[in-house]
Amino acid sequence: MAMKIPSAMAPILAFGITPPASVSFPLLTAPWMTSLKKALNHGGTKRNKRDRSEAKRKQLQLATVDLETGRPSVRTVVFRGFLPASLLDEEAPIAPTNSLDIEAPASTRTASTRTASNNEESCLMTFVTDSRAAKVKHVQAGSSYVECCWWLDEAGVQYRIAGRAVLCFRDSEQPALRNAALAVWDRLGDSTKETFTWADPGVPIPAEKAAGDDHDEKTASASASASIVAANVSKDEDAITPAYDHAHFCLFVVIPETVDELRLGGRQKRLMYRTDPGDISLSAGESLLPRVLAEAWTVEEVNP
């Protein structure tokens, strides 16, 4: 029997919606987030803070569909955290909050002077990618349905998270999408930002550049990077920061609709979480989030 989670505990928030003042954002906006966070932090108190296994736990598989061939396409991606609820409001501050689990502190950016009002989270999952990547092209072509598969070995649990994807660019039409992309970009380290100035992903490397025993990927794309990397030199250190306006950067956001939690081991257990997105559907090629607040999540225990 499915159990209904009240909407006050589990709203699904969409970009472009300005919630009324009476709407509050709970810290965990979907019931499965609690168990997922526990699994991610499994044994964390017994490890050194920068244990390599902690970083590995943020790696999961993301599948998209290529509409031209009808074939699925899967790759390993890095979970960048749940999108702060404040960024879902078009009038909300654009500075990032601590709930975005990014590798470096936010840079001081003159275009972004406002500060986030809270650290409350939505259940929207964030990933960063090159805007020319295949997964971006799949979504742009109208195949917005995606699925994530997350096996957390230490906790002995698998999460299959299915839903729809939305792409956030610096020039997206909706302010909320632009704000989210900028907030995440500001949290990235310079070395990560530089990867978004490299040559086109998947394009063959010219023979003359591929020759040699010690080919360096960065060297192969140096000519392309040099023309689009701005020399923004820090006052404190002689560092060059890639320019946001010229980077091929995309914030890839997954809106979960169903979550399949499977716990293995001596006492196997499987829970199905579902939310009804309503009658909203995305037309072919549309990359905007449905403008809807879901009433509730349901959770049901099923056979493993």
Side-chain angles (χ1 to χ4, degrees), residues 5 21 48 55 78 83 95 99 101 103 124 140 144 146 167 181 205 217 233 267 272 275 290 294:
I5 306 298
N48 293 328
V78 177
L83 194 70
S99 60
D101 191 6
E103 61 202 64
L124 275 60
Q140 289 176 325
S144 62
V146 299
L167 307 175
I205 298 174
E217 186 177 10
V233 180
R267 298 180 60 185
M272 294 294 299
T275 186

Side-chain angles (χ1 to χ4, degrees), residues 87 92-96 111-116 175 179 182-183 186:
L87 291 177
I94 62 178
S112 174
T113 58
R114 293 176 294 175
T115 57
N179 292 349
L182 175 58
D186 273 350

Side-chain angles (χ1 to χ4, degrees), residues 102-259:
I102 310 299
E103 61 202 64
S107 61
T108 55
R109 196 177 168 87
T110 57
S112 174
T113 58
R114 293 176 294 175
T115 57
S117 59
N118 55 60
N119 292 333
E120 294 167 333
E121 296 176 326
S122 72
C123 67
L124 275 60
M125 302 171 66
T126 63
F127 308 89
V128 298
T129 185
D130 192 296
S131 60
R132 301 162 294 177
K135 55 182 171 290
V136 174
K137 295 177 181 178
H138 294 166
V139 176
Q140 289 176 325
S143 181
S144 62
Y145 288 99
V146 299
E147 183 163 338
C148 303
C149 186
W150 207 338
W151 168 247
L152 296 167
D153 186 66
E154 293 165 312
V157 59
Q158 172 187 268
Y159 291 89
R160 292 175 57 195
I161 304 172
R164 286 178 281 186
V166 67
L167 307 175
C168 307
F169 303 101
R170 65 176 178 274
D171 56 356
S172 294
E173 290 185 7
Q174 288 184 316
L177 304 186
R178 298 196 301 270
N179 292 349
L182 175 58
V184 174
W185 171 267
D186 273 350
R187 298 282 297 200
L188 298 176
D190 287 350
S191 60
T192 300
K193 290 178 179 178
E194 185 181 355
T195 64
F196 298 106
T197 67
W198 291 357
D200 289 14
V203 174
I205 298 174
E208 59 273 17
K209 291 185 178 181
D213 296 331
D214 300 318
H215 173 67
D216 187 344
E217 186 177 10
K218 292 184 180 179
T219 301
S221 60
S223 59
S225 300
S227 61
I228 55 178
V229 176
N232 297 328
V233 180
S234 171
K235 296 180 180 180
D236 299 327
E237 56 183 9
D238 187 19
I240 297 179
T241 302
Y244 179 58
D245 292 342
H246 296 125
H248 299 284
F249 176 76
C250 173
L251 176 64
F252 194 101
V253 178
V254 173
I255 319 167
E257 294 179 357
T258 64
V259 177

